[in-house]
Amino acid sequence: MNAFSLLTLSQGKRLLIKDMAYYLVPPEAASPCIAPSLGRVKRGVGTIEPVVNGATTGTTKAPYPFHTDAEPNNPTVIPRDTLGNFHFTFLIRHPRSSIPSYYRCCVPPLDRVTGFYDFMPSEAGYDELRRLFDYLRSIGQVGPATAGQTANGRSASNGDHSSNGVARGVEVCVIDADDLLDNPAGIVGAFCKSTGIDFTPDMLDWSTEADHQQAAEAFSKWPGFHDDAMNSSDLKPRQHPDTNMNDGKKKKVKSVEEENSEWAEKYGEKAAKVIRETVDANIDDYEYLKQFAIKV
């Protein structure tokens, strides 16, 4: 954790961490076990409890597999006690949009900027996100209430934390990127309500020089991946001149044939086949998570 993070927490503020569940779950569906660096501290200050086979937080073995114990049903390399310190929310995007977008970052000319030279279908991350999501629900860390729903005519508990910062049974809060782009104020407002944050309209505007400087610093580790956001100044409802919806607010969904043709034109037939296979492989997990998405 960097100095800014420590300062933020020391001031009693909540810190937003955005990352993929893919990086918390062992690769290639390998059996999970707890990372040695997260071994539990016991028997006095600075003394690390050994895990198994002599592994401790001082382990310098190759990254995986770890010679440590697993926790029952925990799909991650992070102990349940540590996961319990976080208030989890979830951002999803339809694979038909996310997969070709990621592919673009792994091929010329953008690959020279991102540093990603190989597209790996296994990095899509939907399977890992679904497993983490289901695990957090199964242990009661999120849910059973879902953001945007009410129980007995009253709003469910939103963003309640104990004095030590541990989230207890917070709402299931899932945001679909398409919903966010179509209704930024509504979705961000619902997210804030669910997480116990006061929503203000200026959250959707980052037009000042200070805002752009902060964004540049925050995204500096991932060049090329956030260019559209960094070159923007606010978030307004997107327009869909090609929509076939009566309300004019929803994006027209392209047919499979139209998508395949578009991808082949941009990246070639072979690449389009890989993109299609990756999209299709992740739709079930996306649609499962989509049923929990905030509705406003």
Side-chain angles (χ1 to χ4, degrees):
M1 188 172 289
N2 60 30
F4 174 77
S5 302
L6 293 172
L7 176 62
T8 299
L9 295 174
S10 70
Q11 294 173 340
K13 298 179 180 178
R14 294 167 67 184
L15 181 68
L16 173 66
I17 301 175
K18 174 183 174 291
D19 213 332
M20 291 179 63
Y22 174 82
Y23 295 110
L24 307 181
V25 177
E28 308 298 335
S31 298
C33 48
I34 300 303
S37 60
L38 297 175
R40 296 173 180 81
V41 178
K42 286 191 176 181
R43 303 192 311 274
V45 177
T47 305
I48 304 298
E49 176 192 43
V51 188
V52 73
N53 297 336
T56 69
T57 55
T59 292
T60 58
K61 281 184 66 67
Y64 207 83
F66 304 132
H67 295 288
T68 53
D69 283 328
E71 289 186 339
N73 303 315
N74 184 350
T76 78
V77 299
I78 301 176
R80 174 176 173 173
D81 288 347
T82 301
L83 292 173
N85 289 316
F86 297 90
H87 181 152
F88 282 89
T89 60
F90 307 87
L91 177 64
I92 59 175
R93 189 183 185 192
H94 198 291
R96 73 165 68 96
S97 298
S98 64
I99 301 302
S101 177
Y102 178 51
Y103 188 91
R104 182 176 69 94
C105 293
C106 301
V107 297
L110 199 52
D111 58 350
R112 292 187 178 184
V113 179
T114 64
F116 281 62
Y117 297 98
D118 297 292
F119 173 76
M120 299 175 61
S122 63
E123 289 186 325
Y126 290 86
D127 169 72
E128 291 82 5
L129 181 59
R130 178 174 177 173
R131 285 192 281 148
L132 173 62
F133 177 82
D134 280 344
Y135 173 66
L136 294 175
R137 290 179 67 223
S138 73
I139 63 174
Q141 186 167 336
V142 300
T146 301
Q149 299 181 3
T150 58
N152 299 322
R154 300 177 62 185
S155 296
S157 175
N158 298 328
D160 291 337
H161 286 68
S162 65
S163 59
N164 65 357
V166 177
R168 300 294 186 189
V170 298
E171 291 180 330
V172 171
C173 184
V174 178
I175 291 178
D176 186 284
D178 280 317
D179 297 334
L180 175 63
L181 293 174
D182 287 335
N183 183 6
I187 295 298
V188 174
F191 171 85
C192 287
K193 180 179 180 181
S194 180
T195 54
I197 300 171
D198 293 330
F199 171 73
T200 57
D202 60 3
M203 291 178 175
L204 305 178
D205 184 284
W206 47 89
S207 55
T208 69
E209 183 176 344
D211 290 335
H212 282 269
Q213 179 61 35
Q214 183 177 2
E217 293 173 358
F219 292 143
S220 62
K221 184 179 178 180
W222 300 99
F225 285 97
H226 304 97
D227 288 355
D228 288 346
M230 292 181 65
N231 292 327
S232 64
S233 60
D234 58 15
L235 189 58
K236 295 186 176 78
R238 62 182 176 184
Q239 301 299 310
H240 302 302
D242 60 343
T243 183
N244 61 354
M245 304 295 289
N246 292 331
D247 59 11
K249 294 182 179 179
K250 298 296 183 181
K251 184 178 181 180
K252 179 182 178 181
V253 177
K254 297 177 181 178
S255 68
V256 170
E257 292 73 20
E258 289 174 322
E259 290 174 342
N260 290 342
S261 177
E262 178 182 322
W263 301 336
E265 183 178 349
K266 288 182 178 179
Y267 308 114
E269 294 288 346
K270 183 177 180 181
K273 184 175 184 293
V274 172
I275 293 172
R276 168 54 57 198
E277 291 174 348
T278 309
V279 168
D280 291 348
N282 289 282
I283 286 179
D284 284 349
D285 290 327
Y286 163 78
E287 291 182 342
Y288 172 78
L289 294 165
K290 172 67 175 178
Q291 67 182 314
F292 298 95
I294 289 175
K295 297 177 177 62
V296 296

